[in-house]
Amino acid sequence: GTALKSSQGNFVEILWDIKELAYGMPSIGQEEAKDQHGASSKDLEFTVAINATGQNITDAEKFTLMNDNLDRTVSLKTTYGTYLTAPKLLDGFVTATNDHVAGREAFEMAYTPAGAVSFRTFDGRWCSALAHGSITASAEKVGEWESFERIDNSDGTISLKSCHGKYVSAIKKAKHVDA
């Protein structure tokens, strides 16, 4: 095994399988292993955009909260089998383009004094719901736009409501193919 220090300062022991050297994730190929922080699922026939524009809770507004990351972070899985992904650039938008968990799909979930939840990225920035609905991951501290009401749904999923009164949604889009 190998001891590694997580982005939150915790030490974890990784037991390596020779076939799974790319951060213990069997679905990560060589291309993704080159950049653990920006891995993507190139075989998917679609992309998934994340925004906070949902009027009510449908399947698009339901996320499976995955609590079993080695460094005590969480990941949010969409109804399409992809995970919320923090952008490489601090001014980028949160997406859900990966079908596996790597560094950018793991978030620290923190509770605010008011009982809302906030999500801290691999880079130490906080996810924000902007007034027009986009979700970014560039805030240096938690404020109103970085706080989400957590709704526990009866089917075991969760939904997140922004301070603007809209639900975080995963919107499936056709993948753009260059001719």
Side-chain angles (χ1 to χ4, degrees):
T2 303
L4 299 174
K5 189 173 183 181
S6 73
S7 58
Q8 285 77 35
N10 300 319
F11 283 95
V12 294
E13 182 177 3
I14 307 295
L15 299 176
W16 298 103
D17 179 329
I18 194 68
K19 295 177 185 172
E20 300 175 359
L21 284 179
Y23 302 96
M25 302 302 294
S27 62
I28 296 177
Q30 289 181 338
E31 188 64 30
E32 290 84 7
K34 289 179 185 175
D35 181 3
Q36 73 158 350
H37 307 304
S40 66
S41 301
K42 297 181 179 33
D43 338 348
L44 294 178
E45 300 291 323
F46 57 88
T47 61
V48 179
I50 300 296
N51 59 46
T53 57
Q55 298 290 331
N56 51 37
I57 298 174
T58 68
D59 284 347
E61 289 76 31
K62 292 182 177 183
F63 300 90
T64 301
L65 184 65
M66 311 296 286
N67 289 303
D68 59 356
N69 294 335
L70 295 174
D71 61 356
R72 298 192 183 118
T73 57
V74 300
S75 296
L76 295 166
K77 188 174 186 180
T78 71
T79 190
Y80 308 111
T82 57
Y83 293 87
L84 266 64
T85 306
K88 280 186 182 182
L89 304 174
L90 293 179
D91 61 349
F93 298 105
V94 173
T95 62
T97 55
N98 298 329
D99 63 0
H100 56 271
V101 176
R104 295 205 173 273
E105 290 73 36
F107 298 86
E108 175 188 341
M109 185 171 69
Y111 287 87
T112 68
V117 293
S118 296
F119 296 93
R120 188 174 179 187
T121 69
F122 183 89
D123 300 314
R125 300 297 175 121
W126 296 92
C127 293
S128 303
L130 305 183
H132 65 282
S134 293
I135 306 284
T136 63
S138 57
E140 293 182 11
K141 60 183 180 177
V142 175
E144 186 178 13
W145 287 16
E146 293 74 38
S147 300
F148 299 86
E149 177 186 349
R150 175 182 165 170
I151 295 103
D152 293 308
N153 299 312
S154 62
D155 61 1
T157 62
I158 67 165
S159 295
L160 301 168
K161 190 173 187 180
S162 77
C163 67
H164 307 293
K166 304 289 183 174
Y167 293 96
V168 175
S169 302
I171 309 300
K172 185 176 178 181
K173 298 182 176 191
K175 187 179 267 189
H176 176 70
V177 179
D178 294 327

